[in-house]
Amino acid sequence: MKKLFKKKIIIPVFAVCILLGASSFKGDFFEIAKQIEIFTTLFKELNMNYVDETNPAELMDNAIKNMLNGLDPYTRFLNEQDVEAYRINNAGKYSGIGAVVRTYKDKMLIIEAYKDSPADKAGLKAGDEIIKIGDTDVATFKDDATELLKGASSTGVSVVYKRQNKTNTTTINREDIDVDAVPFYKMVDATTGYIVLTKFNQKASSQTKEALVNLKNEGAKKIILDLRGNPGGLLSEAINVTNLFVPRGELIVTTKSKVKKFNKVYKTRNAAVDTEIPLVVLVNGSSASASEIVSGSLQDLDRAVIVGARSFGKGLVQRPLKLTYGTQLKVTISRYYTPSGRCIQSLDYWHRDADGKAVKNTTFNDFKTKNGRKVQDGGGVLPEIQIAAAKTNALTKALLLNNVIFDYATNYYYNNNVNTIADFNFTDANFIDFKEFVKESNFSFETETEKALTAAINSNDSAIFGEEIQDKYKSLLVDINKNKFKALDKYKDEIVKNIEDEIVKRYFYKEGLYEYYLTQDDAILTATELLNNTTKYNDYLK
């Protein structure tokens, strides 16, 4: 057994030694070596002496994940499957069913089936619950069941799914799937072009350039670049996309780290496509990382007007470091700074509150753009023009997180005929119907105020307060819960925006949603109006 154990522990020890050898911090060498020895001894004794049989791989996986949980959420251990997923995400090409699939505790849902994808051809739609893949029941499968849907091109997989309480069976024939960084571009009017950039994979800059050139050939003299919902990606592609609108040699990003080799200055290297064309960039609370490099640098260089809502606020840079046996450590190596010198990181993961949550920056420092305009750090990219419907709030986030809007859209789809985009109109009566749907669902969320009151009721101080104060607290909690549903009206614009987006996708896919945006989206309408007013546009950049 001891010989077998030695084979088991050599992998983590060897992996740690590689990291140790790469460390440039010689002053910490003894402390690191000491902690490795303690951990190795603990791991050995635990596996050899624990009362039941242990799973060394599972123990190590939990140990690594818990260690990294104390840092930021972007520093992650990648097993072999994770490494492959990471590669696919950057490459923009994979073999599979062509759908967004999400797993929960005991079920798997189709969130979106791409148009003309294998999943779409097999008849799968958003809202379908997959209950069986091949001979495997999803509810009892311990590992990630989405892995069962993956496979080589031209191979089939049988799927049993539930739709509107009816069980159906279909076979999906996997294909090579291209994930476009730019899924849509079109003229908004005779002189304004619109480009949607959804991710910064290896295709981002080339596809954005192709869209820009084609739109200019169609007569575009102004451009709207939509980065809403773009979670980021490759730093190099963010610089290259920015380079399409600014000349060669312009500073875009500076990265700063405690490791000298990661301290770098990134400037544009290529000739721009157009350095003069008026430009509006759309962002929202889901625009992060590389999206913020593009929007933040264009803002700092006074090259574009930013429209929408404050972006996510991720100013950290990650790099994958190779470990042994095909695994990697995706580690935060530095912070990035836009041309004005600001870092837009919103959450401070190194200073946490009493609940262990990262502290959100509330004080900001002022910086100057190229033309001397004031911008601030520490809270994402703040647009020059803010759109109410684009903003996020705790209630809307909770409705999305708990799939309330998603489930409502599913019901709407199966109970309403919509033949063309022009036929779709979400009315006040529909919103009243949505509010009833929320009341009848199991939806609930706890506000920060409720958490504080609950903690106060359950604290040791409650004995000091007496029953009268406690009863008032409890009464206040009841009133807050009642008023949460009234907040649906307060945040109607933001909620309706998300409902409309989800419903339109059900009928007309993502492409149809972008078509819908051209005539109905507040941010695009505002951007178009601004670009058609040269004086007003220039005033924002002075």
Side-chain angles (χ1 to χ4, degrees), residues 427-441:
T427 64
D428 288 339
N430 290 136
F431 188 66
I432 292 173
D433 181 56
F434 171 73
K435 289 193 291 184
E436 289 301 314
F437 180 84
V438 174
K439 288 180 181 178
E440 293 170 7
S441 70

Side-chain angles (χ1 to χ4, degrees), residues 16 27 31 74 91 141 155 167 179 201 207 218 241 263 265 267 306 342 354 360 364 394 411 433 443 474 514 533:
V16 176
E31 187 62 29
Y74 314 110
F141 191 68
T155 61
T167 301
V179 182
N201 59 21
Q207 290 190 341
E218 290 180 39
V241 167
N263 292 334
V265 173
K267 295 183 178 181
I306 314 300
R342 58 180 171 149
K360 192 176 184 68
F364 308 118
N411 286 352
D433 181 56
F443 171 70
K474 291 174 182 177
Y514 298 133
N533 187 331

Side-chain angles (χ1 to χ4, degrees), residues 21-41:
S23 175
S24 62
F25 305 103
K26 295 180 180 179
D28 294 334
F29 183 90
F30 174 76
E31 187 62 29
I32 294 172
K34 173 185 171 183
Q35 297 304 324
I36 290 172
E37 186 176 353
I38 291 172
F39 180 78
T40 303
T41 307

Side-chain angles (χ1 to χ4, degrees), residues 173-345:
N173 295 308
R174 303 180 183 97
E175 298 175 10
D176 289 331
I177 308 295
D178 284 316
V179 182
D180 288 327
V182 178
F184 184 88
Y185 65 89
K186 194 172 183 178
M187 296 294 290
V188 180
D189 56 29
T191 58
T192 307
Y194 172 64
I195 302 172
V196 180
L197 177 55
T198 59
K199 59 191 63 189
F200 285 87
N201 59 21
Q202 293 172 3
K203 300 178 180 180
S205 59
S206 61
Q207 290 190 341
T208 305
K209 180 178 181 179
E210 180 183 4
L212 178 59
V213 170
N214 288 343
L215 288 171
K216 282 169 63 69
N217 290 336
E218 290 180 39
K221 300 186 185 306
K222 296 156 285 186
I223 291 293
I224 301 171
L225 178 63
D226 196 342
L227 298 180
R228 291 175 296 179
N230 187 321
L234 300 173
L235 172 63
S236 58
E237 285 300 289
I239 296 164
N240 290 338
V241 167
T242 309
N243 195 175
L244 299 175
F245 302 100
V246 300
R248 181 189 287 113
E250 196 75 63
L251 172 65
I252 304 300
V253 175
T254 302
T255 59
K256 297 180 182 179
S257 169
K258 66 179 182 180
V259 182
K260 287 185 178 180
K261 67 177 181 179
F262 296 143
N263 292 334
K264 292 188 177 181
V265 173
Y266 295 89
K267 295 183 178 181
T268 51
R269 296 182 176 181
N270 306 311
V273 172
D274 195 324
T275 61
E276 300 295 332
I277 191 167
L279 176 65
V280 167
V281 177
L282 307 183
V283 297
N284 63 9
S286 298
S287 305
S289 190
S291 296
E292 295 173 299
I293 290 175
V294 173
S295 55
S297 61
L298 290 172
Q299 185 179 55
D300 283 1
L301 297 171
D302 298 300
R303 181 62 189 86
V305 175
I306 314 300
V307 172
R310 187 186 290 274
S311 64
F312 182 80
K314 179 177 179 289
L316 306 175
V317 180
Q318 287 73 44
R319 171 173 291 190
L321 303 177
K322 291 183 179 180
L323 306 178
T324 54
Y325 295 91
T327 63
Q328 292 184 6
L329 174 66
K330 185 163 78 74
V331 59
T332 298
I333 59 169
S334 59
R335 292 179 175 83
Y336 73 77
Y337 299 80
T338 61
S340 67
R342 58 180 171 149
C343 178
I344 51 81
Q345 177 64 26

